[in-house]
Amino acid sequence: MMKRYSRVLSIAGSDPSGGAGIQADIKAISATGSYAATAITAVVNENTVGVFGIHEVPVDMVVGQIESVLTDIGADAIKIGMLYSAELVEAVAETLKKHDVKNIVVDPVMVATSGDALMKSDIADALKAYLFPIARLITPNIPEAETLLGRKISTIDEMKDAADELSVDGLSVLVKGGHLSTNEMADILCDAEDEAFLDFPSDKINTPNKHGTGCTLSSAIASYMAQGKGLLGAVTAAKQYIDAAIMAGAEYEIGKGHGPVCHFWKTL
C-alpha cells in the first residue's frame, strides 16, 4: 500500500528574498510535514528592506495553475495569500468553488512587513464578497483587520471585537496581535465551529526578523488542517511552530532590514 502525502496548495505571490510569500509557504508546509504545491499570483521585486515592484500574473494563468494542481495532485487544504486585484480574488474563489475544496485558510495580505502596499485599493470588499464565504479561517493582522473593518484597533479587547465582527456565517477568525505596542502580545481566535473565543498570549520577541511571519503561520495552519487536525488543534500547533521559528530566527543576521524567521528550526 503506497503512502499518501497531506497536500497543501498555496496560492500567493513570489518573494525573491525567500522570507515571505510562496517561498515561506513552501518552507512552512514542508517543515510541518506536508506536501506543498503552488500557484503564483504575482512576482514581487522585494527584499528585507522593501518592495520595489509588482508584476501581476495574468488571471487565466493563475486559474490554470490552480486547475493543474487540483485536477492531478489534489489538495487537502488551501492557503491563500497575496491576491493583487479584485478580479483575481473573484476568479480564484470561483475556481475553488468549482472543485469543492475544503480547509481554505485566507491570509488577507495587504501590506508587507516593510510597510509597502501589496494590493490594489478595492481588494478588501472583494475578499469579503468572494473569498471569505468559502473560507474556513482568515488570519488578518491588526492593520489588515483595520482595513477590512474601517476602524483602528489598539487593544486586545478591540481585537476580540474585530474577530467577532469578521466572523460571519461560520467563518473563524484569527486576529494576530504582533502590531500591538505592549510587551504582552496575544493572538485572538474566534472559533466559529465551537463558538468560542481563545487567547494565544506570548511575550514580544525583540528582533527585526519577522519578515513573512503571517505567511508562515497561515501555511502551517493549513498544513496541520491537511493532516486532519481540527481548527483549534491546527491553530495551536501552528502557533507553537511560528513562535519557535521567530525565537530561532532572532539569532541570525540576513539582509539589511527585516530578516526571515527560521522555518527549519527543528532540524538545526
Side-chain angles (χ1 to χ4, degrees):
M1 193 79 175
M2 297 293 289
K3 294 181 179 180
R4 184 176 176 275
Y5 292 108
S6 298
R7 307 154 298 169
V8 181
L9 170 60
S10 169
I11 305 170
S14 173
D15 170 17
S17 73
I22 285 284
Q23 287 82 349
D25 296 348
I26 293 172
K27 294 174 185 178
I29 293 164
S30 301
T32 53
S34 297
Y35 180 89
T38 65
I40 296 176
T41 62
V43 178
V44 183
N45 175 13
E46 69 174 315
N47 56 26
T48 67
V49 177
V51 175
F52 309 103
I54 297 173
H55 175 73
E56 297 178 68
V57 174
V59 171
D60 61 344
M61 182 59 73
V62 177
V63 170
Q65 293 175 81
I66 297 170
E67 292 276 6
S68 292
V69 172
L70 294 182
T71 57
D72 178 27
I73 295 171
D76 301 299
I78 307 284
K79 177 268 168 81
I80 300 176
M82 178 186 177
L83 300 177
Y84 190 58
S85 69
E87 179 187 7
L88 180 57
V89 170
E90 183 175 3
V92 168
E94 290 302 315
T95 304
L96 296 180
K97 283 195 291 186
K98 183 175 71 172
H99 288 276
D100 193 30
V101 295
K102 308 298 182 184
N103 294 325
I104 299 174
V105 179
V106 178
D107 185 27
V109 176
M110 298 178 181
V111 179
T113 303
S114 61
D116 297 290
L118 293 172
M119 64 167 187
K120 291 183 177 178
S121 58
D122 58 352
I123 200 79
D125 288 341
L127 288 170
K128 288 187 283 188
Y130 300 111
L131 265 187
F132 290 2
I134 64 171
R136 185 177 185 187
L137 175 72
I138 63 172
T139 62
N141 60 27
I142 287 177
E144 290 158 352
E146 288 175 339
T147 299
L148 291 168
L149 295 173
R151 66 171 185 268
K152 296 295 292 182
I153 300 169
S154 303
T155 67
I156 290 177
D157 284 342
E158 290 175 353
M159 290 172 60
K160 291 179 179 179
D161 290 340
D164 185 47
E165 187 171 340
L166 288 168
S167 177
V168 294
D169 298 327
L171 175 65
S172 294
V173 181
L174 179 68
V175 178
K176 299 170 294 189
H179 290 80
L180 289 173
S181 58
T182 60
N183 288 326
E184 292 183 358
M185 313 298 296
D187 293 347
I188 303 298
L189 174 64
C190 180
D191 182 347
E193 297 174 14
D194 290 330
E195 298 183 348
F197 272 100
L198 295 107
D199 292 12
F200 293 88
S202 60
D203 294 328
K204 181 173 285 188
I205 301 170
N206 186 23
T207 174
N209 296 337
K210 296 182 180 179
H211 182 51
T213 50
C215 305
T216 300
L217 175 60
S218 56
S219 294
I221 293 171
S223 178
Y224 288 124
M225 283 183 177
Q227 295 167 24
K229 288 185 181 293
L231 176 67
L232 178 57
V235 172
T236 300
K239 274 291 298 173
Q240 292 169 347
Y241 167 75
I242 187 61
D243 288 348
I246 294 171
M247 285 288 292
E251 299 178 1
Y252 290 84
E253 181 179 356
I254 183 168
K256 300 174 182 177
H258 297 282
V261 302
C262 183
H263 293 90
F264 292 103
W265 56 268
K266 290 182 180 181
T267 63
L268 295 179

